[in-house]
């Protein structure tokens, strides 16, 4: 009987499909920690705001469904705002960093490349571990700039309580 229970549990665990993964953390060790993990419950990423100066990614904010996350980072620099098309998701993020984040380039499932910042520093390329998963939320650390960033991947509507 015990053998049957163990085999059943083992098969159940093996049959469960994994979907979430993490890429990062890219950047330096300074700043105050942040995470948008709770924001993903409002829906998938539908837009983001990136603030850049001549050297760094200064700030970051993302819209999850129709709700904007808290802004993270500094106030100086040019603010750019990008909205994703319906059904469009981020499937890859490349960039560069030194002590701080310098460049972000988002690639979407619709073939768009959205690039912010300066092409200088150590390169990274973040992609999900599992097929058909997309960027669900950001985490990292920030002060007067974005010190470091990480990317969390899962199915587009995974954990979404308010999605249509």
């Amino acid at each position: 009987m015990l053998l049957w229970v163990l085999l059943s549990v083992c098969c159940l665990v093996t049959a469960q499909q994994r979907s979430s993964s993490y890429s990062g953390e890219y950047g330096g060790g300074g700043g105050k920690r942040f995470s948008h993990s709770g924001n993903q419950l409002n829906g998938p990423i539908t837009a983001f705001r990136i603030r850049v100066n001549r050297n760094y990614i200064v700030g970051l904010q993302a819209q999850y469904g129709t709700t904007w996350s808290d802004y993270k980072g500094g106030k100086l620099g040019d603010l750019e705002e990008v909205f994703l098309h319906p059904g469009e998701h981020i499937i890859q993020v490349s960039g560069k960093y030194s002590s701080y984040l310098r460049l972000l380039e988002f690639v979407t499932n619709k073939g768009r490349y959205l690039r912010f910042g300066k092409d200088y520093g150590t390169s990274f390329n973040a992609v999900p571990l599992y097929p058909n998963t997309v960027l669900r939320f950001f985490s990292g650390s920030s002060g007067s700039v974005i010190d470091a960033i990480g990317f969390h991947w899962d199915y587009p509507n995974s954990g979404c309580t308010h999605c249509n």
Side-chain angles (χ1 to χ4, degrees):
M1 178 70 171
L2 180 59
L3 180 61
W4 182 82
V5 170
L6 288 174
L7 286 174
S8 296
V9 170
C10 182
C11 291
L12 179 62
V13 169
T14 303
Q16 290 178 346
Q17 187 174 4
R18 295 184 182 184
S19 61
S20 64
S21 60
Y22 173 73
S23 303
E25 178 165 280
Y26 306 104
K32 184 177 177 181
R33 305 287 310 153
F34 71 86
S35 175
H36 289 177
S37 63
N39 297 95
Q40 70 175 322
L41 299 177
N42 293 316
I45 295 172
T46 54
F48 47 89
R49 295 175 178 144
I50 306 285
R51 186 176 300 275
V52 297
N53 68 18
R54 63 187 186 119
N55 294 311
Y56 305 110
I57 303 293
V58 175
L60 171 71
Q61 186 177 28
Q63 185 179 27
Y64 295 86
T66 59
T67 305
W68 285 98
S69 68
D70 290 339
Y71 177 82
K72 300 299 178 186
K75 305 292 185 214
L76 301 176
D78 298 323
L79 183 65
E80 298 183 49
E81 184 175 79
V82 174
F83 286 84
L84 298 179
H85 300 143
E88 187 173 30
H89 300 284
I90 297 165
I91 59 169
Q92 177 181 351
V93 184
S94 299
K96 294 201 174 184
Y97 66 92
S98 55
S99 297
Y100 309 107
L101 191 59
R102 292 182 173 270
L103 174 73
L104 282 174
E105 183 175 53
F106 299 97
V107 179
T108 75
N109 62 326
K110 303 287 186 182
R112 286 204 293 166
Y113 289 78
L114 309 166
R115 188 178 173 112
F116 307 91
K118 301 297 177 199
D119 193 1
Y120 175 79
T122 303
S123 297
F124 69 85
N125 186 43
V127 294
L129 186 58
Y130 300 104
N132 304 315
T133 58
V134 300
L135 181 63
R136 291 292 298 155
F137 68 94
F138 300 94
S139 65
S141 59
S142 67
S144 60
V145 298
I146 301 297
D147 293 86
I149 196 164
F151 308 99
H152 301 261
W153 311 91
D154 207 336
Y155 290 121
N157 292 326
S158 167
C160 179
T161 59
H162 304 304
C163 296
N164 296 336

